Amino acid sequence: MKRTLINECRVRFPALSRNEGLSRSAAAAFAMQCDPTVEEIAALKTAVSEAVTNAIVHGYRDTEGIVEMTMKLFSDNTLYIQIKDRGRGIADIRQAMEPTFTTAPAEEERSGLGFTVMESFMDKLRVSSSEGKGTSVTMEKKLLGRARAKGV
């Protein structure tokens, strides 16, 4: 069965750490139309938080910029979320996705687990990036919702 787009939303906000909460809330609110479980919402919010934090902390380090978040819901209850920045980009995506790798300065306490966390909470994760042009993180998660999780 071919899935069809049911709903779509785009949110743009300044790359400020205080907007991480906005992104988490926007993703949770958008997902509510699937009647998700508490666990599904927690996983979604955590993955979005990691992606947005990466855009702010690594993409726009010491500069201003905009983070774009696109959310789509498909007929099979798959939630698609893309977090995009036009910041410094990632030189080596494979290396950046290795657990504990970070480009943060030594004085910052960063674990380097952002991509690992995103992968663990989502069904699909794709990262594309060009140095000096930015990064796009695309995540997908099929939401079961409370009714289907109970077997109804």
Side-chain angles (χ1 to χ4, degrees), residues 4-9 30 33 71-75 79:
T4 56
L5 181 65
I6 295 203
N7 201 358
E8 181 175 7
C9 178
F30 188 79
Q33 59 198 306
M71 298 172 286
K72 297 179 183 181
L73 177 62
F74 292 92
S75 56
L79 184 63

Side-chain angles (χ1 to χ4, degrees), residues 2 8 21 38 50 62 64 74 88 91 99 101-102 125 152:
K2 183 179 178 186
E8 181 175 7
V38 171
E50 292 293 335
D62 301 323
E64 294 181 4
F74 292 92
R88 52 178 62 198
F101 176 81
T102 184
L125 174 69
V152 176

Side-chain angles (χ1 to χ4, degrees), residues 65-131:
I66 298 292
V67 176
E68 299 174 22
M69 184 167 76
T70 301
M71 298 172 286
K72 297 179 183 181
L73 177 62
F74 292 92
S75 56
D76 65 351
N77 262 21
T78 297
L79 184 63
Y80 163 103
I81 299 178
Q82 180 184 57
I83 308 293
K84 196 173 182 180
D85 69 66
R86 299 197 190 288
R88 52 178 62 198
I90 301 171
D92 184 338
I93 294 173
R94 184 170 291 183
Q95 181 183 36
M97 293 183 79
E98 288 293 318
T100 71
F101 176 81
T102 184
T103 58
E107 66 272 6
E108 287 185 18
E109 292 186 28
R110 299 277 173 202
S111 67
L113 293 173
F115 288 125
T116 302
V117 169
M118 287 178 242
E119 279 182 311
S120 71
F121 285 117
M122 304 301 278
D123 297 330
K124 292 182 183 176
L125 174 69
R126 289 182 304 279
V127 180
S128 60
S129 189
S130 295
E131 283 189 278

Side-chain angles (χ1 to χ4, degrees), residues 13-81:
F13 48 88
L16 302 171
S17 60
R18 65 178 163 251
N19 285 330
E20 179 195 337
L22 169 69
S23 67
R24 290 168 56 95
S25 296
F30 188 79
M32 291 308 290
Q33 59 198 306
C34 296
D35 194 25
T37 64
V38 171
E39 293 81 12
E40 288 174 325
I41 287 294
L44 173 65
K45 289 170 72 174
T46 300
V48 165
S49 180
E50 292 293 335
V52 170
T53 297
N54 278 355
I56 293 167
V57 171
H58 300 290
Y60 292 118
R61 179 171 302 283
D62 301 323
T63 62
E64 294 181 4
I66 298 292
V67 176
E68 299 174 22
M69 184 167 76
T70 301
M71 298 172 286
K72 297 179 183 181
L73 177 62
F74 292 92
S75 56
D76 65 351
N77 262 21
T78 297
L79 184 63
Y80 163 103
I81 299 178

